[in-house]
PDB file of all heavy atoms in Angstrom:
ATOM      1  N   VAL A 160       9.133   2.424 -21.863  1.00 98.00           N
ATOM      2  CA  VAL A 160       9.109   1.534 -20.705  1.00 98.00           C
ATOM      3  C   VAL A 160      10.508   0.943 -20.537  1.00 98.00           C
ATOM      4  O   VAL A 160      11.066   0.366 -21.475  1.00 98.00           O
ATOM      5  CB  VAL A 160       8.084   0.397 -20.898  1.00 98.00           C
ATOM      6  CG1 VAL A 160       8.101  -0.534 -19.684  1.00 98.00           C
ATOM      7  CG2 VAL A 160       6.682   0.957 -21.126  1.00 98.00           C
ATOM      8  N   TYR A 161      11.059   1.093 -19.352  1.00 98.00           N
ATOM      9  CA  TYR A 161      12.391   0.565 -19.061  1.00 98.00           C
ATOM     10  C   TYR A 161      12.279  -0.626 -18.110  1.00 98.00           C
ATOM     11  O   TYR A 161      11.538  -0.561 -17.123  1.00 98.00           O
ATOM     12  CB  TYR A 161      13.258   1.624 -18.380  1.00 98.00           C
ATOM     13  CG  TYR A 161      13.643   2.774 -19.265  1.00 98.00           C
ATOM     14  CD1 TYR A 161      12.812   3.892 -19.377  1.00 98.00           C
ATOM     15  CD2 TYR A 161      14.838   2.776 -19.992  1.00 98.00           C
ATOM     16  CE1 TYR A 161      13.150   4.967 -20.186  1.00 98.00           C
ATOM     17  CE2 TYR A 161      15.190   3.846 -20.805  1.00 98.00           C
ATOM     18  CZ  TYR A 161      14.347   4.932 -20.896  1.00 98.00           C
ATOM     19  OH  TYR A 161      14.685   5.996 -21.698  1.00 98.00           O
ATOM     20  N   PRO A 162      13.004  -1.708 -18.375  1.00 98.00           N
ATOM     21  CA  PRO A 162      13.067  -2.796 -17.383  1.00 98.00           C
ATOM     22  C   PRO A 162      13.843  -2.293 -16.177  1.00 98.00           C
ATOM     23  O   PRO A 162      14.856  -1.598 -16.319  1.00 98.00           O
ATOM     24  CB  PRO A 162      13.824  -3.898 -18.127  1.00 98.00           C
ATOM     25  CG  PRO A 162      14.647  -3.177 -19.153  1.00 98.00           C
ATOM     26  CD  PRO A 162      13.845  -1.981 -19.560  1.00 98.00           C
ATOM     27  N   LEU A 163      13.363  -2.604 -14.980  1.00 98.00           N
ATOM     28  CA  LEU A 163      13.994  -2.091 -13.765  1.00 98.00           C
ATOM     29  C   LEU A 163      13.843  -3.078 -12.622  1.00 98.00           C
ATOM     30  O   LEU A 163      12.746  -3.589 -12.377  1.00 98.00           O
ATOM     31  CB  LEU A 163      13.363  -0.749 -13.373  1.00 98.00           C
ATOM     32  CG  LEU A 163      13.740  -0.171 -12.004  1.00 98.00           C
ATOM     33  CD1 LEU A 163      15.212   0.243 -11.971  1.00 98.00           C
ATOM     34  CD2 LEU A 163      12.853   1.011 -11.648  1.00 98.00           C
ATOM     35  N   ASP A 164      14.920  -3.333 -11.941  1.00 98.00           N
ATOM     36  CA  ASP A 164      14.873  -4.025 -10.655  1.00 98.00           C
ATOM     37  C   ASP A 164      15.667  -3.167  -9.687  1.00 98.00           C
ATOM     38  O   ASP A 164      16.900  -3.194  -9.667  1.00 98.00           O
ATOM     39  CB  ASP A 164      15.464  -5.434 -10.739  1.00 98.00           C
ATOM     40  CG  ASP A 164      15.143  -6.251  -9.495  1.00 98.00           C
ATOM     41  OD1 ASP A 164      15.035  -5.642  -8.409  1.00 98.00           O
ATOM     42  OD2 ASP A 164      14.994  -7.482  -9.591  1.00 98.00           O
ATOM     43  N   ALA A 165      14.954  -2.369  -8.901  1.00 98.00           N
ATOM     44  CA  ALA A 165      15.581  -1.371  -8.038  1.00 98.00           C
ATOM     45  C   ALA A 165      16.268  -1.961  -6.822  1.00 98.00           C
ATOM     46  O   ALA A 165      16.823  -1.226  -6.001  1.00 98.00           O
ATOM     47  CB  ALA A 165      14.543  -0.336  -7.592  1.00 98.00           C
ATOM     48  N   VAL A 166      16.258  -3.289  -6.698  1.00 98.00           N
ATOM     49  CA  VAL A 166      16.986  -3.940  -5.611  1.00 98.00           C
ATOM     50  C   VAL A 166      18.488  -3.947  -5.895  1.00 98.00           C
ATOM     51  O   VAL A 166      19.305  -4.057  -4.978  1.00 98.00           O
ATOM     52  CB  VAL A 166      16.460  -5.378  -5.404  1.00 98.00           C
ATOM     53  CG1 VAL A 166      17.362  -6.169  -4.463  1.00 98.00           C
ATOM     54  CG2 VAL A 166      15.034  -5.336  -4.838  1.00 98.00           C
ATOM     55  N   PHE A 167      18.836  -3.796  -7.159  1.00 98.00           N
ATOM     56  CA  PHE A 167      20.247  -3.863  -7.557  1.00 98.00           C
ATOM     57  C   PHE A 167      20.702  -2.518  -8.114  1.00 98.00           C
ATOM     58  O   PHE A 167      20.107  -1.972  -9.029  1.00 98.00           O
ATOM     59  CB  PHE A 167      20.440  -4.964  -8.600  1.00 98.00           C
ATOM     60  CG  PHE A 167      19.952  -6.315  -8.152  1.00 98.00           C
ATOM     61  CD1 PHE A 167      18.774  -6.851  -8.658  1.00 98.00           C
ATOM     62  CD2 PHE A 167      20.646  -7.035  -7.192  1.00 98.00           C
ATOM     63  CE1 PHE A 167      18.305  -8.080  -8.234  1.00 98.00           C
ATOM     64  CE2 PHE A 167      20.199  -8.273  -6.757  1.00 98.00           C
ATOM     65  CZ  PHE A 167      19.026  -8.803  -7.277  1.00 98.00           C
ATOM     66  N   ASP A 168      21.795  -2.003  -7.551  1.00 98.00           N
ATOM     67  CA  ASP A 168      22.296  -0.690  -7.963  1.00 98.00           C
ATOM     68  C   ASP A 168      23.103  -0.745  -9.252  1.00 98.00           C
ATOM     69  O   ASP A 168      23.060   0.181 -10.059  1.00 98.00           O
ATOM     70  CB  ASP A 168      23.169  -0.086  -6.852  1.00 98.00           C
ATOM     71  CG  ASP A 168      22.389   0.135  -5.568  1.00 98.00           C
ATOM     72  OD1 ASP A 168      21.204   0.486  -5.666  1.00 98.00           O
ATOM     73  OD2 ASP A 168      22.968  -0.050  -4.480  1.00 98.00           O
ATOM     74  N   SER A 169      23.876  -1.799  -9.460  1.00 98.00           N
ATOM     75  CA  SER A 169      24.733  -1.915 -10.636  1.00 98.00           C
ATOM     76  C   SER A 169      24.867  -3.385 -11.010  1.00 98.00           C
ATOM     77  O   SER A 169      24.529  -4.275 -10.212  1.00 98.00           O
ATOM     78  CB  SER A 169      26.109  -1.310 -10.346  1.00 98.00           C
ATOM     79  OG  SER A 169      26.774  -2.051  -9.335  1.00 98.00           O
ATOM     80  N   PRO A 170      25.376  -3.676 -12.206  1.00 97.00           N
ATOM     81  CA  PRO A 170      25.498  -5.083 -12.632  1.00 97.00           C
ATOM     82  C   PRO A 170      26.333  -5.927 -11.680  1.00 97.00           C
ATOM     83  O   PRO A 170      26.075  -7.138 -11.541  1.00 97.00           O
ATOM     84  CB  PRO A 170      26.176  -4.958 -14.002  1.00 97.00           C
ATOM     85  CG  PRO A 170      25.801  -3.603 -14.495  1.00 97.00           C
ATOM     86  CD  PRO A 170      25.756  -2.741 -13.274  1.00 97.00           C
ATOM     87  N   GLU A 171      27.304  -5.318 -11.027  1.00 97.00           N
ATOM     88  CA  GLU A 171      28.160  -6.063 -10.104  1.00 97.00           C
ATOM     89  C   GLU A 171      27.399  -6.597  -8.893  1.00 97.00           C
ATOM     90  O   GLU A 171      27.846  -7.531  -8.228  1.00 97.00           O
ATOM     91  CB  GLU A 171      29.315  -5.179  -9.634  1.00 97.00           C
ATOM     92  CG  GLU A 171      30.285  -4.750 -10.718  1.00 97.00           C
ATOM     93  CD  GLU A 171      29.739  -3.692 -11.653  1.00 97.00           C
ATOM     94  OE1 GLU A 171      28.857  -2.921 -11.202  1.00 97.00           O
ATOM     95  OE2 GLU A 171      30.180  -3.625 -12.820  1.00 97.00           O
ATOM     96  N   ASP A 172      26.242  -5.997  -8.606  1.00 97.00           N
ATOM     97  CA  ASP A 172      25.451  -6.413  -7.442  1.00 97.00           C
ATOM     98  C   ASP A 172      24.545  -7.601  -7.723  1.00 97.00           C
ATOM     99  O   ASP A 172      23.983  -8.189  -6.798  1.00 97.00           O
ATOM    100  CB  ASP A 172      24.582  -5.237  -6.959  1.00 97.00           C
ATOM    101  CG  ASP A 172      25.405  -4.045  -6.551  1.00 97.00           C
ATOM    102  OD1 ASP A 172      26.515  -4.243  -6.025  1.00 97.00           O
ATOM    103  OD2 ASP A 172      24.932  -2.904  -6.752  1.00 97.00           O
ATOM    104  N   VAL A 173      24.382  -7.959  -8.988  1.00 97.00           N
ATOM    105  CA  VAL A 173      23.411  -8.993  -9.354  1.00 97.00           C
ATOM    106  C   VAL A 173      24.010 -10.378  -9.155  1.00 97.00           C
ATOM    107  O   VAL A 173      25.031 -10.711  -9.756  1.00 97.00           O
ATOM    108  CB  VAL A 173      22.975  -8.825 -10.820  1.00 97.00           C
ATOM    109  CG1 VAL A 173      21.913  -9.875 -11.169  1.00 97.00           C
ATOM    110  CG2 VAL A 173      22.433  -7.421 -11.063  1.00 97.00           C
ATOM    111  N   PRO A 174      23.396 -11.215  -8.314  1.00 96.00           N
ATOM    112  CA  PRO A 174      23.923 -12.565  -8.107  1.00 96.00           C
ATOM    113  C   PRO A 174      23.700 -13.446  -9.334  1.00 96.00           C
ATOM    114  O   PRO A 174      22.847 -13.162 -10.177  1.00 96.00           O
ATOM    115  CB  PRO A 174      23.112 -13.072  -6.907  1.00 96.00           C
ATOM    116  CG  PRO A 174      21.860 -12.271  -6.932  1.00 96.00           C
ATOM    117  CD  PRO A 174      22.225 -10.932  -7.474  1.00 96.00           C
ATOM    118  N   GLU A 175      24.445 -14.510  -9.411  1.00 95.00           N
ATOM    119  CA  GLU A 175      24.407 -15.375 -10.584  1.00 95.00           C
ATOM    120  C   GLU A 175      23.039 -16.007 -10.799  1.00 95.00           C
ATOM    121  O   GLU A 175      22.596 -16.179 -11.943  1.00 95.00           O
ATOM    122  CB  GLU A 175      25.473 -16.482 -10.442  1.00 95.00           C
ATOM    123  CG  GLU A 175      25.754 -17.230 -11.735  1.00 95.00           C
ATOM    124  CD  GLU A 175      26.297 -16.328 -12.832  1.00 95.00           C
ATOM    125  OE1 GLU A 175      27.010 -15.349 -12.504  1.00 95.00           O
ATOM    126  OE2 GLU A 175      26.015 -16.598 -14.018  1.00 95.00           O
ATOM    127  N   ASP A 176      22.353 -16.362  -9.706  1.00 95.00           N
ATOM    128  CA  ASP A 176      21.054 -17.016  -9.868  1.00 95.00           C
ATOM    129  C   ASP A 176      20.012 -16.082 -10.475  1.00 95.00           C
ATOM    130  O   ASP A 176      19.067 -16.532 -11.126  1.00 95.00           O
ATOM    131  CB  ASP A 176      20.566 -17.578  -8.534  1.00 95.00           C
ATOM    132  CG  ASP A 176      20.332 -16.485  -7.504  1.00 95.00           C
ATOM    133  OD1 ASP A 176      21.119 -15.526  -7.474  1.00 95.00           O
ATOM    134  OD2 ASP A 176      19.371 -16.598  -6.717  1.00 95.00           O
ATOM    135  N   ILE A 177      20.177 -14.777 -10.283  1.00 96.00           N
ATOM    136  CA  ILE A 177      19.272 -13.817 -10.912  1.00 96.00           C
ATOM    137  C   ILE A 177      19.646 -13.625 -12.379  1.00 96.00           C
ATOM    138  O   ILE A 177      18.777 -13.561 -13.265  1.00 96.00           O
ATOM    139  CB  ILE A 177      19.312 -12.460 -10.185  1.00 96.00           C
ATOM    140  CG1 ILE A 177      18.750 -12.600  -8.765  1.00 96.00           C
ATOM    141  CG2 ILE A 177      18.536 -11.401 -10.951  1.00 96.00           C
ATOM    142  CD1 ILE A 177      17.291 -12.956  -8.703  1.00 96.00           C
ATOM    143  N   LYS A 178      20.934 -13.556 -12.654  1.00 92.00           N
ATOM    144  CA  LYS A 178      21.389 -13.388 -14.039  1.00 92.00           C
ATOM    145  C   LYS A 178      20.902 -14.522 -14.936  1.00 92.00           C
ATOM    146  O   LYS A 178      20.591 -14.309 -16.109  1.00 92.00           O
ATOM    147  CB  LYS A 178      22.912 -13.336 -14.083  1.00 92.00           C
ATOM    148  CG  LYS A 178      23.527 -12.092 -13.465  1.00 92.00           C
ATOM    149  CD  LYS A 178      25.044 -12.155 -13.547  1.00 92.00           C
ATOM    150  CE  LYS A 178      25.696 -10.935 -12.912  1.00 92.00           C
ATOM    151  NZ  LYS A 178      27.181 -11.015 -12.950  1.00 92.00           N
ATOM    152  N   THR A 179      20.844 -15.723 -14.385  1.00 93.00           N
ATOM    153  CA  THR A 179      20.453 -16.889 -15.189  1.00 93.00           C
ATOM    154  C   THR A 179      18.963 -17.233 -15.049  1.00 93.00           C
ATOM    155  O   THR A 179      18.496 -18.188 -15.667  1.00 93.00           O
ATOM    156  CB  THR A 179      21.289 -18.110 -14.775  1.00 93.00           C
ATOM    157  OG1 THR A 179      21.108 -18.363 -13.366  1.00 93.00           O
ATOM    158  CG2 THR A 179      22.763 -17.869 -15.053  1.00 93.00           C
ATOM    159  N   ASN A 180      18.247 -16.468 -14.245  1.00 95.00           N
ATOM    160  CA  ASN A 180      16.826 -16.719 -14.051  1.00 95.00           C
ATOM    161  C   ASN A 180      16.073 -16.463 -15.360  1.00 95.00           C
ATOM    162  O   ASN A 180      16.260 -15.432 -16.002  1.00 95.00           O
ATOM    163  CB  ASN A 180      16.287 -15.798 -12.948  1.00 95.00           C
ATOM    164  CG  ASN A 180      14.872 -16.156 -12.536  1.00 95.00           C
ATOM    165  OD1 ASN A 180      13.968 -16.210 -13.352  1.00 95.00           O
ATOM    166  ND2 ASN A 180      14.678 -16.378 -11.246  1.00 95.00           N
ATOM    167  N   LYS A 181      15.215 -17.374 -15.738  1.00 95.00           N
ATOM    168  CA  LYS A 181      14.536 -17.261 -17.025  1.00 95.00           C
ATOM    169  C   LYS A 181      13.642 -16.028 -17.113  1.00 95.00           C
ATOM    170  O   LYS A 181      13.363 -15.524 -18.215  1.00 95.00           O
ATOM    171  CB  LYS A 181      13.718 -18.521 -17.305  1.00 95.00           C
ATOM    172  CG  LYS A 181      12.584 -18.776 -16.327  1.00 95.00           C
ATOM    173  CD  LYS A 181      11.826 -20.049 -16.700  1.00 95.00           C
ATOM    174  CE  LYS A 181      10.663 -20.292 -15.736  1.00 95.00           C
ATOM    175  NZ  LYS A 181       9.919 -21.534 -16.107  1.00 95.00           N
ATOM    176  N   ARG A 182      13.192 -15.523 -15.954  1.00 95.00           N
ATOM    177  CA  ARG A 182      12.341 -14.335 -15.975  1.00 95.00           C
ATOM    178  C   ARG A 182      13.125 -13.068 -16.318  1.00 95.00           C
ATOM    179  O   ARG A 182      12.533 -12.034 -16.635  1.00 95.00           O
ATOM    180  CB  ARG A 182      11.635 -14.162 -14.632  1.00 95.00           C
ATOM    181  CG  ARG A 182      10.687 -15.308 -14.283  1.00 95.00           C
ATOM    182  CD  ARG A 182       9.810 -14.972 -13.110  1.00 95.00           C
ATOM    183  NE  ARG A 182      10.576 -14.730 -11.891  1.00 95.00           N
ATOM    184  CZ  ARG A 182      10.046 -14.298 -10.752  1.00 95.00           C
ATOM    185  NH1 ARG A 182       8.754 -14.030 -10.688  1.00 95.00           N
ATOM    186  NH2 ARG A 182      10.794 -14.129  -9.684  1.00 95.00           N
ATOM    187  N   TYR A 183      14.457 -13.142 -16.228  1.00 96.00           N
ATOM    188  CA  TYR A 183      15.302 -11.993 -16.548  1.00 96.00           C
ATOM    189  C   TYR A 183      15.968 -12.110 -17.912  1.00 96.00           C
ATOM    190  O   TYR A 183      16.563 -11.142 -18.394  1.00 96.00           O
ATOM    191  CB  TYR A 183      16.378 -11.819 -15.465  1.00 96.00           C
ATOM    192  CG  TYR A 183      15.854 -11.261 -14.167  1.00 96.00           C
ATOM    193  CD1 TYR A 183      15.139 -12.068 -13.285  1.00 96.00           C
ATOM    194  CD2 TYR A 183      16.069  -9.933 -13.817  1.00 96.00           C
ATOM    195  CE1 TYR A 183      14.647 -11.563 -12.092  1.00 96.00           C
ATOM    196  CE2 TYR A 183      15.589  -9.419 -12.633  1.00 96.00           C
ATOM    197  CZ  TYR A 183      14.879 -10.236 -11.766  1.00 96.00           C
ATOM    198  OH  TYR A 183      14.390  -9.731 -10.593  1.00 96.00           O
ATOM    199  N   LEU A 184      15.872 -13.294 -18.507  1.00 92.00           N
ATOM    200  CA  LEU A 184      16.492 -13.503 -19.808  1.00 92.00           C
ATOM    201  C   LEU A 184      15.810 -12.644 -20.871  1.00 92.00           C
ATOM    202  O   LEU A 184      14.590 -12.500 -20.886  1.00 92.00           O
ATOM    203  CB  LEU A 184      16.413 -14.982 -20.198  1.00 92.00           C
ATOM    204  CG  LEU A 184      17.187 -15.957 -19.305  1.00 92.00           C
ATOM    205  CD1 LEU A 184      16.986 -17.397 -19.779  1.00 92.00           C
ATOM    206  CD2 LEU A 184      18.674 -15.602 -19.282  1.00 92.00           C
ATOM    207  N   GLY A 185      16.579 -12.064 -21.741  1.00 90.00           N
ATOM    208  CA  GLY A 185      16.029 -11.214 -22.786  1.00 90.00           C
ATOM    209  C   GLY A 185      15.987  -9.753 -22.427  1.00 90.00           C
ATOM    210  O   GLY A 185      15.739  -8.896 -23.276  1.00 90.00           O
ATOM    211  N   SER A 186      16.221  -9.437 -21.138  1.00 94.00           N
ATOM    212  CA  SER A 186      16.255  -8.044 -20.696  1.00 94.00           C
ATOM    213  C   SER A 186      17.677  -7.684 -20.285  1.00 94.00           C
ATOM    214  O   SER A 186      18.429  -8.528 -19.792  1.00 94.00           O
ATOM    215  CB  SER A 186      15.305  -7.825 -19.515  1.00 94.00           C
ATOM    216  OG  SER A 186      13.966  -8.025 -19.896  1.00 94.00           O
ATOM    217  N   SER A 187      18.034  -6.440 -20.495  1.00 95.00           N
ATOM    218  CA  SER A 187      19.375  -5.980 -20.127  1.00 95.00           C
ATOM    219  C   SER A 187      19.306  -4.555 -19.600  1.00 95.00           C
ATOM    220  O   SER A 187      18.292  -3.870 -19.752  1.00 95.00           O
ATOM    221  CB  SER A 187      20.315  -6.049 -21.335  1.00 95.00           C
ATOM    222  OG  SER A 187      19.829  -5.228 -22.388  1.00 95.00           O
ATOM    223  N   ASN A 188      20.384  -4.133 -18.967  1.00 97.00           N
ATOM    224  CA  ASN A 188      20.500  -2.758 -18.459  1.00 97.00           C
ATOM    225  C   ASN A 188      19.345  -2.394 -17.531  1.00 97.00           C
ATOM    226  O   ASN A 188      18.745  -1.326 -17.660  1.00 97.00           O
ATOM    227  CB  ASN A 188      20.557  -1.764 -19.627  1.00 97.00           C
ATOM    228  CG  ASN A 188      21.737  -2.016 -20.543  1.00 97.00           C
ATOM    229  OD1 ASN A 188      22.817  -2.381 -20.100  1.00 97.00           O
ATOM    230  ND2 ASN A 188      21.517  -1.840 -21.840  1.00 97.00           N
ATOM    231  N   TRP A 189      19.051  -3.271 -16.573  1.00 98.00           N
ATOM    232  CA  TRP A 189      17.902  -3.041 -15.717  1.00 98.00           C
ATOM    233  C   TRP A 189      18.254  -2.714 -14.266  1.00 98.00           C
ATOM    234  O   TRP A 189      17.360  -2.548 -13.440  1.00 98.00           O
ATOM    235  CB  TRP A 189      16.950  -4.239 -15.749  1.00 98.00           C
ATOM    236  CG  TRP A 189      17.585  -5.597 -15.701  1.00 98.00           C
ATOM    237  CD1 TRP A 189      17.800  -6.440 -16.744  1.00 98.00           C
ATOM    238  CD2 TRP A 189      18.082  -6.286 -14.539  1.00 98.00           C
ATOM    239  NE1 TRP A 189      18.396  -7.609 -16.324  1.00 98.00           N
ATOM    240  CE2 TRP A 189      18.579  -7.542 -14.968  1.00 98.00           C
ATOM    241  CE3 TRP A 189      18.148  -5.961 -13.181  1.00 98.00           C
ATOM    242  CZ2 TRP A 189      19.133  -8.466 -14.086  1.00 98.00           C
ATOM    243  CZ3 TRP A 189      18.704  -6.875 -12.299  1.00 98.00           C
ATOM    244  CH2 TRP A 189      19.187  -8.113 -12.761  1.00 98.00           C
TER     245      TRP A 189
END
Side-chain angles (χ1 to χ4, degrees):
V160 179
Y161 291 88
L163 170 68
D164 192 329
V166 169
F167 305 106
D168 298 324
S169 65
E171 296 74 27
D172 300 326
V173 183
E175 194 62 32
D176 63 322
I177 294 295
K178 291 179 181 178
T179 58
N180 189 304
K181 64 180 181 180
R182 297 192 298 174
Y183 286 76
L184 296 178
S186 295
S187 60
N188 300 323
W189 42 259

